[in-house]
Amino acid sequence: HGFSLDTVANTSLIDLYSKWGWIEDARNLFDKMTRKNVISWNALIAGYGNHGQGEKAVELFEKMLREGMKPNHVTLLAVLSACSYSGLSDHGWAIFDSMSKIHGINPRAMHYACMIELLGREGLLNEALDLIKDAPFTPSLNMWAALLTACRVHNNLELGKFAAEKLYGIGPEKLGNYIVLWNIYNRMGKSEEANNVIDKLQE
């Protein structure tokens, strides 16, 4: 329909195809584009990541760098998320470390949360906690939530309780945080603390 040279229209189609799971169609369109911007690259990297194709997301990110396209914080978030979903810890660490050293982009809370998820998937809960403590800003709700999820998966009740209490203070409006904290207290046999959570919900 006459949009073959339109970068914005093609990028929107790549994003659409990716969200519907038509990754091959998205890649075919991407490869045919004569002009690409950083948003075009981001859309396809995110598409690969969201559909569990982390290796392809990393390969595309590396191709992006080779072609001289400068990534932005969204690019790094997309490729780190892809590494997290696919368990690519070595790639994830290398990319995370390169953010400020090579690309001049200071990691934000969302980037830290991706790394915490990645560590959590591998059961490296203490390392994930250390990353939270080493963050050069106040840890966000998503960072603590990522640790809490990992603690629940790996049945680390003590650390899970610590993470849940941090969430309890940061985001009291989040019902899910209270439920997780209540479950953790119950599993630890701390009925009084569990009842206090219910009382807080009823305030």
Side-chain angles (χ1 to χ4, degrees):
H1 293 280
F3 293 110
S4 60
L5 299 179
D6 190 314
T7 302
V8 175
N10 282 329
T11 298
S12 296
L13 279 173
I14 290 169
D15 184 55
L16 175 67
Y17 290 157
S18 297
K19 287 177 178 175
W20 281 91
W22 303 330
I23 300 298
E24 289 187 10
D25 292 320
R27 182 58 186 261
N28 288 337
L29 178 58
F30 179 86
D31 288 339
K32 292 176 182 177
M33 290 175 65
T34 56
R35 292 192 298 271
K36 304 178 182 73
N37 59 23
V38 67
I39 303 172
S40 311
W41 292 90
N42 293 352
L44 188 55
I45 290 171
Y48 278 133
N50 290 337
H51 292 281
Q53 299 184 40
E55 290 281 1
K56 289 187 177 181
V58 172
E59 289 172 5
L60 188 63
F61 174 68
E62 292 172 346
K63 177 179 172 65
M64 175 184 185
L65 299 181
R66 288 195 303 272
E67 295 192 7
M69 181 66 68
K70 183 175 176 59
N72 59 21
H73 74 277
V74 177
T75 315
L76 276 304
L77 178 62
V79 72
L80 285 175
S81 294
C83 290
S84 175
Y85 293 152
S86 298
L88 305 176
S89 58
D90 290 342
H91 286 301
W93 272 117
I95 292 167
F96 185 76
D97 289 339
S98 75
M99 287 186 65
S100 57
K101 294 177 182 177
I102 297 176
H103 305 298
I105 299 173
N106 291 326
R108 304 182 183 185
M110 62 186 77
H111 302 107
Y112 273 84
C114 282
M115 290 304 300
I116 293 162
E117 287 177 2
L118 193 156
L119 291 167
R121 287 174 188 272
E122 296 192 350
L124 302 174
L125 303 182
N126 290 329
E127 288 85 345
L129 179 60
D130 288 341
L131 189 60
I132 292 175
K133 291 179 177 179
D134 292 340
F137 47 76
T138 301
S140 69
L141 187 151
N142 286 340
M143 291 166 65
W144 288 114
L147 179 62
L148 177 59
T149 298
C151 290
R152 186 170 61 232
V153 169
H154 295 285
N155 205 32
N156 189 323
L157 299 182
E158 284 294 337
L159 186 53
K161 171 178 173 291
F162 178 73
E165 288 173 341
K166 290 292 184 180
L167 280 168
Y168 188 71
I170 295 173
E173 75 285 356
K174 299 290 186 180
L175 177 62
N177 299 338
Y178 284 84
I179 293 172
V180 172
L181 182 57
W182 180 80
N183 281 325
I184 286 174
Y185 279 140
N186 271 330
R187 290 175 69 181
M188 296 178 73
K190 297 187 175 183
S191 56
E192 183 177 350
E193 288 88 342
N195 290 334
N196 288 338
V197 174
I198 298 299
D199 291 340
K200 183 65 176 178
L201 278 172
Q202 294 174 341
E203 290 180 359

